[in-house]
Amino acid sequence: MSAQPTEGVPEHSDAGTADFLGHRVNLPFGIPAGPLLNSRFTTAAFRMGFDLATYKTVRSRAWGCNPFPNVLAVHPKAADGSLTPGSAELDEGVLADTRYEQPISISNSFGVPSRDPDEWQPDMKRAIEAAGPGQLLIPSFQGSRTEGMTTEDYIADHVATARLVTETGADLMVMNTSCPNEGHNRLLCHDPALVGRITEAVKNEIGDRALAIKLAYIPPTEVTGGWGPERRIVDDSALEFMVRETAARGSVQAFSAINTISARLVDAAGQQALPGAGRDRSGVCGRAIRHAGLDMVARLAVIREKLGLDYTIIGLGGVVSPEDYAAYRAAGADAVMSATGAMWDADLARKIKAAR
C-alpha cells in the first residue's frame, strides 16, 4: 500500500514537502529512467534541484547499446508537434534529423543497455547515499529476454534483478514494462496477466518495499472527442485490467506513465533514419507525447477512484515547463518527471519551484 500523506498536508500540496511512497520529498518532481546513467548523473540532478532521481534501468547481466546515433530530433506533422497513438503517421513515417527545435521531441533508441551488476550495484549504492534532505533515489530495473527463455525463466530474471537492487540498500524501485526498443509488438505491458504474475513474484521477493511499474500508452477501447475537455472515455477496460492485475492485488503501489511512443522514423528522403537492422522504429519522447501522457494520468486517476484504490500516479511525457508540471498535477499525478525537458533545461526543477 502506498503511504498516506502526513497529517495536515493535502495529498497534492506542493507547499513545503510532499509524500512520495512513504518518503518526504521537497517537491514531487524529478527525472525518470533514461538520462541519469550512474551516480555522477543522479548526484548532479539532486544538486540541480530534481528531488526524485531515477537511476537508469539495470539488468541482471551486461547488455549492449544500440549503435550511434541514438538521439535525433523528431518532427511530427501536427502544428503543435504532437503524436497521436494509433495514428497512421506512426507507421507511415515521422521525420527525424539533427534540427533540434523547441518545443523539443527526440528519438530514444538506446536499447536499454546495462552494466554488469558487479559494476552497477556499488554505484547504485553510492547514488542512494548521495541524496540530500528531501530527495530520493529511485532504482529502475527490468527483466531480460534471451533466446530459448521460458516464461518462468523470464519471471525469474525479473525477481533476480529486483533482488540485486535490494542489495544496494534501495527500499523502493520501478520496473520497466514498456521498453520501446524490445520490439513494437513485444511490450511487456501489452500482457497485463503476465505483468501481474511478474509483479507478484517480485513483490514476494522485495517485501514491504514499494514497487512501481512504468507503462506505455494503453489506449481506451472506445472514446469520443479529441484530447481536450470534450474527450470522453466510453470503454477503458484494457487499462483497468492492468490495474486489477497489479495494484488491486497489492503487488504494485505506483504507476509511471508514459514511456515513449513507438514510431517509424524516416529522413527527408523517406528512408530509415536510424542505422541498423531492427531500428526502423524508435521510441519518441518530449513534447510530441505530452497529450498522451496527460491522457493516461487522467484515466489512471479515474480508475483509482472507481476501484477505491490508493496507488500513486507518476506522470511524465512532454514536461518541458512549469506549466506542464502544473497540468500533470491537475490531471491527477501525485508526482511528475521529465526526461527530455530536463536534458534540454537543467534549470527546469528550479523554475518549477520558483513558479509555485
Side-chain angles (χ1 to χ4, degrees):
M1 302 288 284
S2 59
Q4 295 298 312
T6 297
E7 184 178 355
V9 179
E11 184 177 356
H12 289 290
S13 173
D14 285 338
T17 60
D19 178 87
F20 179 78
L21 292 171
H23 298 264
R24 302 304 299 180
V25 295
N26 300 320
L27 182 73
F29 179 69
I31 299 176
L36 306 180
L37 307 182
N38 53 43
S39 61
R40 290 178 296 173
F41 285 81
T42 57
T43 301
F46 286 140
R47 291 174 178 170
M48 293 303 293
F50 294 91
D51 295 319
L52 299 173
T54 309
Y55 195 102
K56 187 212 161 306
T57 304
V58 296
R59 299 177 184 261
S60 62
R61 65 203 74 189
W63 201 270
C65 183
N66 284 342
F68 180 86
N70 311 96
V71 172
L72 292 174
V74 177
H75 309 282
K77 295 176 182 177
D80 65 353
S82 64
L83 288 174
T84 300
S87 66
E89 181 182 12
L90 301 180
D91 295 322
E92 293 171 353
V94 183
L95 177 64
D97 55 30
T98 56
R99 295 182 297 111
Y100 297 95
E101 302 170 341
Q102 298 288 356
I104 188 70
S105 294
I106 60 173
S107 66
N108 173 357
S109 181
F110 291 90
V112 195
S114 177
R115 299 284 188 181
D116 186 270
D118 286 345
E119 294 183 60
W120 65 252
Q121 276 191 303
D123 186 68
M124 183 180 286
K125 183 177 181 180
R126 289 191 292 270
I128 292 170
E129 294 171 347
Q135 297 183 325
L136 183 65
L137 191 285
I138 306 169
S140 175
F141 77 99
Q142 74 174 60
S144 301
R145 286 190 177 102
T146 58
E147 187 175 355
M149 178 177 275
T150 67
T151 298
E152 294 304 321
D153 292 337
Y154 188 47
I155 294 173
D157 189 71
H158 281 83
V159 172
T161 312
R163 183 185 309 119
L164 291 169
V165 171
T166 65
E167 291 172 357
T168 68
D171 58 5
L172 80 168
M173 62 193 72
V174 58
M175 187 179 93
N176 184 16
T177 71
S178 52
C179 171
N181 303 294
E182 298 248 324
H184 179 48
N185 297 314
R186 297 182 65 214
L187 299 185
L188 175 56
C189 63
H190 288 168
D191 189 344
L194 180 55
V195 173
R197 292 179 61 190
I198 292 173
T199 55
E200 180 180 11
V202 167
K203 199 70 172 69
N204 286 338
E205 176 65 36
I206 68 175
D208 292 336
R209 296 173 179 85
L211 176 65
I213 57 174
K214 190 172 185 179
L215 300 175
Y217 183 81
I218 299 175
T221 306
E222 295 182 46
V223 64
T224 60
W227 286 115
E230 73 278 9
R231 184 174 174 84
R232 186 170 70 89
I233 305 300
V234 179
D235 183 352
D236 210 6
S237 55
L239 183 56
E240 184 175 324
F241 183 42
M242 174 64 77
V243 173
R244 288 183 180 276
E245 290 292 299
T246 55
R249 297 184 176 184
S251 62
V252 165
Q253 287 68 55
F255 295 99
S256 178
I258 61 173
N259 206 322
T260 60
I261 291 177
S262 176
R264 177 173 172 261
L265 299 185
V266 297
D267 60 21
Q271 302 301 307
Q272 180 176 322
L274 292 163
R279 297 184 75 202
D280 59 318
R281 302 186 73 93
S282 169
V284 175
C285 50
R287 178 47 63 99
I289 68 171
R290 180 179 183 272
H291 288 317
L294 284 167
D295 184 68
M296 272 281 283
V297 164
R299 289 159 51 212
L300 281 167
V302 168
I303 293 171
R304 177 170 60 185
E305 182 175 0
K306 173 185 175 181
L307 300 183
L309 300 173
D310 66 347
Y311 55 78
T312 293
I313 301 173
I314 307 165
L316 57 146
V319 178
V320 301
S321 70
E323 293 75 20
D324 296 327
Y325 171 84
Y328 268 92
R329 294 286 281 170
D334 302 288
V336 183
M337 293 189 178
S338 172
T340 307
M343 290 164 63
W344 258 254
D345 184 0
D347 285 322
L348 182 56
R350 293 172 176 170
K351 291 177 179 177
I352 291 172
K353 290 176 179 179
R356 288 187 297 160

